[in-house]
Amino acid sequence: MGPYLPPGVVSEVFVYASGRREQVYRAPLPSEGPEGFVDGAGRRGLVCMYGYFVFEWVEGARTVCVSHGRLRGARMLLWRDVSIDVEWSAAGLTAFAQRWVREHLAKFMLPGEGVDDARA
């Protein structure tokens, strides 16, 4: 019987161009939320984190703020006005965040690689 792997973690063999093979482990991207909030102006909003990208969405807005960090603690603002095209809801924000992160990270992959959340 092989080693114990936490839920969502998968073992696979990576083959280098030289033919060298190496055992690697792919883990799902971390997530937190979604959670509701009320800002200083009394507006309701939703916030969630996926892959250490934090998405903050004020009710009625057609854009989200994207930061790097976690729901609690320091965050670094990356973009203020990322367009969002789903109905305002926790499920909508979560689905948007997951799609956005995968598309964003895919820009940095080599051809044939992909961000697929441990194939889960």
Side-chain angles (χ1 to χ4, degrees), residues 55-100:
F55 297 81
E56 193 170 314
W57 190 16
V58 174
E59 185 174 22
R62 297 177 89 51
T63 59
V64 297
C65 289
V66 180
S67 302
H68 195 349
R70 300 192 68 163
L71 293 190
R72 286 158 204 36
R75 295 183 203 162
M76 179 177 65
L77 178 63
L78 300 173
W79 299 279
R80 287 191 191 281
D81 297 316
V82 174
S83 295
I84 187 167
D85 59 353
V86 299
E87 190 166 330
W88 194 79
S89 69
L93 179 60
T94 300
F96 173 83
Q98 292 173 352
R99 182 177 68 246
W100 187 94

Side-chain angles (χ1 to χ4, degrees), residues 2 8 21 31 47 55 61 95 108 113-114 116 119:
R21 302 169 71 82
S31 63
V47 62
F55 297 81
F108 305 99
E113 289 184 325
D116 59 8
R119 305 193 198 304

